[in-house]
Amino acid sequence: MRILITNDDGVNSPVLPALARFARRFGEVTVIAPKVEQSGMSHAIDFIHPIEIKKVMIAPDVEAYSMDSTPADCVRFGVLGLKQHFDLVLSGINRGYNLGSDIVYSGTVAAIFEAARLGVKGIALSAEPAHFEAAADNLPLVFEYIEKHGLLECGSWYNVNIPSKIEDIKITKQGGIFFTDRFVNTEGDIFVQEGEQAQTVAHDPSLDIDAVISGYVSITPLIASRTDENLFEKLIKM
């Protein structure tokens, strides 16, 4: 198996080497990660500016690059720039959950949507911010579940969130809004965006947000198409 690893926390993320070493047990690993943090960049690519791409050292027996662009561009460079075939893209481990409708902003999740666009399977990995480095210790548990249940044979793209204290693993669906946001005027004409967790009590563990709050690893199957298939079928019959 050939695996491409990226993230949106940047090439200096402290968990990137651990993820690369873990992935080596499954096959050949290439790391292409952003030069600087790209959180919240979603599926952006840069086709306007020249892009700096440098070889770096991440872990033994791992080809690695620092790329001065977004996670989606990192995946694009692996497939289109290096002209390599990959069987799987692993994106993460992100410092902070990617849950509910907020995944639309996530560079971590966007990387596997770019993988989908290029015909490669993908898994996005995220964890509680305060304990995201420790999440690497739970990768064997998560991937044992994925292998045991044949998830990559059933589907192609998954969003995985790992809490600090794990009760079990649940297959979930995307929930609603995880963060509430606001613009704060700091001085003069300067504003910053701030947010806080919107949901604190678990009500429906079939949703990714509630499952993670309850201590479950959340594994959500995703699709890349934005077509409303039900409405499409209705409209073409009109």
Side-chain angles (χ1 to χ4, degrees):
M1 177 181 282
R2 302 191 70 182
I3 300 171
L4 172 61
I5 293 177
T6 191
N7 67 11
D8 74 0
D9 289 324
V11 72
N12 294 315
S13 169
V15 297
L16 193 55
L19 180 57
R21 289 192 297 269
F22 173 78
R24 280 284 290 122
R25 68 181 66 183
F26 300 107
E28 183 180 341
V29 174
T30 300
V31 174
I32 308 172
K35 179 180 179 180
V36 297
E37 184 173 350
Q38 296 285 323
S39 296
M41 292 300 291
S42 189
H43 207 140
I45 62 173
D46 189 348
F47 50 82
I48 297 174
H49 307 100
I51 300 173
E52 176 192 88
I53 303 170
K54 291 184 177 180
K55 274 200 167 186
V56 294
M57 178 63 187
I58 294 293
D61 301 319
V62 172
E63 183 178 6
Y65 298 86
S66 166
M67 183 174 184
D68 193 12
S69 195
T70 64
D73 261 344
C74 289
V75 176
R76 289 165 60 80
F77 176 67
V79 176
L80 305 176
L82 297 180
K83 294 181 169 58
Q84 293 188 15
H85 166 77
F86 294 99
D87 301 294
L88 180 67
V89 169
L90 296 178
S91 184
I93 303 168
N94 190 65
R95 186 180 62 235
Y97 294 134
N98 280 302
L99 294 166
S101 60
D102 292 335
I103 68 171
V104 69
Y105 305 117
S106 170
T108 303
V109 177
I112 68 167
F113 280 133
E114 183 60 26
R117 203 186 70 82
L118 296 171
V120 184
K121 297 184 178 186
I123 300 174
L125 299 159
S126 304
E128 185 179 359
H131 301 94
F132 86 109
E133 292 185 49
D137 297 333
N138 292 311
L139 290 175
L141 174 69
V142 172
F143 279 84
E144 179 183 349
Y145 183 97
I146 290 171
E147 288 187 314
K148 178 181 178 180
H149 295 277
L151 296 192
L152 288 173
E153 285 71 53
C154 299
S156 297
W157 306 286
Y158 292 91
N159 183 34
V160 178
N161 285 273
I162 306 171
S164 57
K165 295 181 180 179
I166 296 175
E167 293 288 337
D168 203 347
I169 298 176
K170 280 188 178 293
I171 301 297
T172 58
K173 54 189 175 182
Q174 180 182 314
I177 296 173
F178 185 50
F179 281 98
T180 57
D181 304 304
R182 59 184 177 274
F183 282 81
V184 178
N185 184 197
T186 56
E187 60 174 316
D189 299 326
I190 306 302
F191 289 77
V192 297
Q193 294 192 64
E194 295 180 353
E196 59 187 20
Q197 188 174 316
Q199 187 170 345
T200 57
V201 179
H203 298 290
D204 181 357
S206 72
L207 300 178
D208 56 0
I209 297 172
D210 292 346
V212 167
I213 291 172
S214 297
Y216 292 93
V217 174
S218 166
I219 302 181
T220 305
L222 303 177
I223 58 172
S225 174
R226 298 194 182 191
T227 300
D228 185 331
E229 296 290 347
N230 291 330
L231 182 56
F232 170 77
E233 293 297 332
K234 179 180 177 180
L235 292 177
I236 61 173
K237 294 175 182 177
M238 293 176 64

